[in-house]
Amino acid sequence: MDVAVIGASMTQFGQRDAWIRELIAEAGEACLADAAVAPDEVDHLYVSNMASGEFEGQGGIMNALAHDLGLMPAYSERVDQTSSSGGAGIYEAWQSIASGASEMTLLVGGEKMTHRTTAEATDVIASITHPAEYKHGVTLPSFAGMTARHYLERFDAPRDSLAKVAAKNHANGVDNPHAQFQKEVDVETILDSPIVADPLRLYDFCPITDGSAALLFCPVDVAEEYTDDYAVVSGIGGATDTHVVHEREDPTVMGGVVESGRQAYEMAGIGPDDVDVAELHDMFTILEFLQMEGLDFADHGEAWKDVEDGRTERDGELPINTSGGLKSKGHPLGASGVAQGYEIYKQVIGDAGPRQVEADTALACNVGGFGNCVITTIMEASQ
Amino acid sequence: MDVAVIGASMTQFGQRDAWIRELIAEAGEACLADAAVAPDEVDHLYVSNMASGEFEGQGGIMNALAHDLGLMPAYSERVDQTSSSGGAGIYEAWQSIASGASEMTLLVGGEKMTHRTTAEATDVIASITHPAEYKHGVTLPSFAGMTARHYLERFDAPRDSLAKVAAKNHANGVDNPHAQFQKEVDVETILDSPIVADPLRLYDFCPITDGSAALLFCPVDVAEEYTDDYAVVSGIGGATDTHVVHEREDPTVMGGVVESGRQAYEMAGIGPDDVDVAELHDMFTILEFLQMEGLDFADHGEAWKDVEDGRTERDGELPINTSGGLKSKGHPLGASGVAQGYEIYKQVIGDAGPRQVEADTALACNVGGFGNCVITTIMEASQ
């Protein structure tokens, strides 16, 4: 059964004076309004969220949301796949429709983080890594630093190329009213910012963010009762890689990206050349290179050249992170994959405003942990 | 597509000297061995777990398990639906097969709780209730006490009838080698035990437990390549009720039980009279009455008579909780719904040992929160 997306929303991302329950209610309500679908039409509700318990001492948020939006007796569930919980939510929503279990599925991703210190948030996030590494103090930023150093040296890539990823995504974020940072940042500022995990500096990292995003799914034949402008989830795949990062044969290859991308391309019956625009998981600048290569947008070790050449800018051949990416938009863990879905949905239905590019086919790659689990989603325009 | 269960396992339930990662690895490995399925045949992995972060400061357990069992690049996800996470995992596993996303799905439920005090565990669990109630100190045991008092007075049911639920389930648990308590408890002992939430006493409550259980799902045509003795998931449904418990019209009716049961019966094309054996979520003795009535095994207000008459004993017309139920088996939150699935699978394939009853059709009802979300599953014998 072909699965459609008929509505989307996202809240303002940033430092929000609202708890997780309020954030997901805001996005969920706006998504139903966007599609003009009534609460009692919703069969299944998925809430992508990594750690409301750890961050806020709040459990059961999916049941609270079903109540707050008046969705009862809809089935509700919380989906956790660490930082790719949003992408996993898209996959679960897809399965709920494709299996016939649901005819209308609401997916809401959200996370409330900024009330905790950076150290506290980093520690919660580090608990998703393997204890063998966690207990030795290896956090995700330190994996990113080591990987970046290895990549730059091995492929003779200039340090500037990483900074240009951040500068590009910040430039895109200027046109995203929901982004946490709506300001340009030049390469010099990035290269002069404080070192976090050598060679990566402050501006190579996404911020800590509160926010929520939502998508509404149904079978294509149901979608056509509501709108002519919908997106079809034409390809989707999910995959794990070694949980112990240092066991990987090549630290510059994320196996989960490669495998989830392969599945998504195969299901959609397309290849990387058919993708018009992509949202990649730039939690750290180096990750944009690894995903470009893992998804075959560039050869291994050569993604940095595309960034240098401007190929991935908004007016380039393959625009990447037109939303501003996690870098400028922010990264509320459970929301990020759903917000990627929001952007590619808006691009393929032609409703991306000043960020609009020419796009019939769009791809999103949502990375959990340090590539421990990855979801790749492809959406195509209905017309 | 018809979905089969071809393997199952559960660990010893009780106070375990093992962390959550070890518990789920133990059950997952045993389940694959039970079905003689190799790790590289698994496409999707679901881990039902409510709160490894809150209980143990450990995130990412689904990715850790994919690694520990050698399942990469299988898709992995953690499913949280509070105390019905296990049932929700069965529903997700079913959807993964029915949608064609997976041809072999491993579901592992688990929770590690006994290293925390009862007060700490109760507080984590209470965080899944609505803040309007949680902040006023209402915990799940207090809901149970109020509901029990109302039920007994309104339906003129004797206090003994609740004690007989506990005594029956303890008697069944004697024959379950995985149960936390393998001992009979007589009605007098139950009625003399300390009051927890009047009129409910210590023995009206399930214990706090560590443990894990697992099930292996595939399409029926794949199942037949492995075995003649498999179970078919012939019906399944999930539903929410009001998250604010005191907003319900009738405190003795759990809307989520009624609606999830209706869905499961409709999908299976059967009614309550066709069910040969059932596992109900007896976290508190009163819940067994509410589920018997919500699932139409008894009329409203009359389930207690069936217990008084012995109808639900192992040699009765409708044996309930042949496993010993949560009461004697224990209740490791995320594992419980999967362990219910283990019992009904064993019953319909005729492999329940001394607990075996005559059963072609079996039902499990897994309750989250105080009926905030409920999953009902029906399995039938393959032959």
Side-chain angles (χ1 to χ4, degrees), chain A residues 21 43-44 46 49-54 57-68 71-82 87-89 91-92 94-102 124 127-131 134 237-244 247 255 259 263 368-369 372-375, chain B residues 21 43-44 46 49-54 57-68 71-82 87-89 91-92 94-102 124 127-131 134 237-244 247 255 259 263 368-369 372-375:
Chain A
R21 287 186 49 237
D43 295 325
H44 280 208
Y46 294 89
N49 168 266
M50 180 180 129
S52 69
E54 293 93 313
Q58 178 70 64
I61 59 173
M62 56 290 183
N63 297 329
L65 184 61
H67 187 276
D68 292 345
L71 307 182
M72 296 90 64
Y75 168 78
S76 73
E77 183 197 317
R78 183 168 71 109
V79 174
D80 167 29
Q81 205 195 49
T82 73
Y91 200 16
E92 290 312 309
W94 181 88
Q95 289 172 58
S96 75
I97 301 292
S99 66
S102 168
V124 169
S127 85
I128 66 176
T129 61
H130 193 279
Y134 172 61
T240 45
D241 197 348
T242 65
H243 194 51
V244 182
E247 284 181 1
E259 175 60 18
Q263 292 173 18
N372 306 41
C373 47
V374 183
I375 303 286
Chain B
R21 286 186 49 237
D43 295 325
H44 281 209
Y46 294 90
N49 167 267
M50 180 180 128
S52 69
E54 293 94 312
Q58 177 70 63
I61 59 173
M62 56 290 183
N63 297 330
L65 184 62
H67 186 276
D68 292 345
L71 307 182
M72 296 90 64
Y75 168 79
S76 72
E77 183 197 318
R78 183 168 71 109
V79 174
D80 167 28
Q81 204 195 49
T82 72
Y91 200 15
E92 290 312 310
W94 181 88
Q95 290 174 56
S96 76
I97 301 293
S99 66
S102 169
V124 168
S127 86
I128 67 175
T129 61
H130 193 279
Y134 173 61
T240 44
D241 197 349
T242 65
H243 194 52
V244 182
E247 285 180 1
E259 174 60 19
Q263 293 173 16
N372 306 40
C373 47
V374 183
I375 302 286

Side-chain angles (χ1 to χ4, degrees), chain B residues 152-367:
Chain B
L152 295 181
E153 288 184 7
R154 176 166 161 199
F155 300 117
D156 204 19
R159 173 63 183 87
D160 284 18
S161 64
L162 288 170
K164 285 174 182 167
V165 170
K168 165 181 70 70
N169 294 348
H170 268 285
N172 287 339
V174 168
D175 286 324
N176 189 341
H178 300 108
Q180 183 162 5
F181 302 127
Q182 298 167 41
K183 62 171 182 185
E184 296 214 39
V185 178
D186 59 29
V187 167
E188 291 65 39
T189 302
I190 294 163
L191 294 176
D192 284 345
S193 65
I195 284 185
V196 172
D198 191 36
L200 298 181
R201 293 167 181 265
L202 183 63
Y203 276 102
D204 287 291
F205 295 86
C206 70
I208 287 175
T209 311
D210 309 325
S212 180
L215 294 166
L216 192 62
F217 300 81
C218 63
V220 161
D221 57 347
V222 174
E224 287 176 347
E225 296 170 18
Y226 288 91
T227 176
D228 295 328
D229 284 323
Y230 56 88
V232 176
V233 181
S234 57
I236 190 159
T240 44
D241 197 349
T242 65
H243 194 52
V244 182
V245 173
H246 70 256
E247 285 180 1
R248 293 178 196 163
E249 276 183 35
D250 184 339
T252 65
V253 175
M254 286 193 152
V257 172
V258 174
E259 174 60 19
S260 67
R262 188 195 63 72
Q263 293 173 16
Y265 286 138
E266 183 178 302
M267 180 174 153
I270 66 168
D273 291 346
D274 301 306
V275 174
D276 300 314
V277 62
E279 288 286 304
L280 304 184
H281 191 98
D282 59 330
M283 184 176 183
F284 320 112
T285 49
I286 182 66
L287 288 191
E288 191 162 310
F289 290 172
L290 301 195
Q291 287 162 81
M292 286 176 64
E293 297 170 9
L295 294 163
D296 264 344
F297 294 144
D299 288 339
H300 189 203
E302 303 205 341
W304 63 272
K305 295 177 184 169
D306 286 335
V307 175
E308 291 276 343
D309 294 348
R311 183 181 169 228
T312 59
E313 289 176 20
R314 194 197 291 167
D315 60 359
E317 186 193 327
L318 177 64
I320 288 179
N321 285 325
T322 51
S323 71
L326 278 53
K327 181 68 198 79
S328 85
K329 197 170 50 187
H331 182 24
L333 305 168
S336 286
V338 184
Q340 289 181 321
Y342 171 93
E343 182 72 9
I344 66 172
Y345 164 76
K346 290 290 187 183
Q347 289 288 354
V348 298
I349 70 166
D351 189 30
R355 306 188 307 281
Q356 186 69 51
V357 297
E358 192 111 2
D360 293 320
T361 302
L363 177 148
C365 186
N366 192 198
V367 175

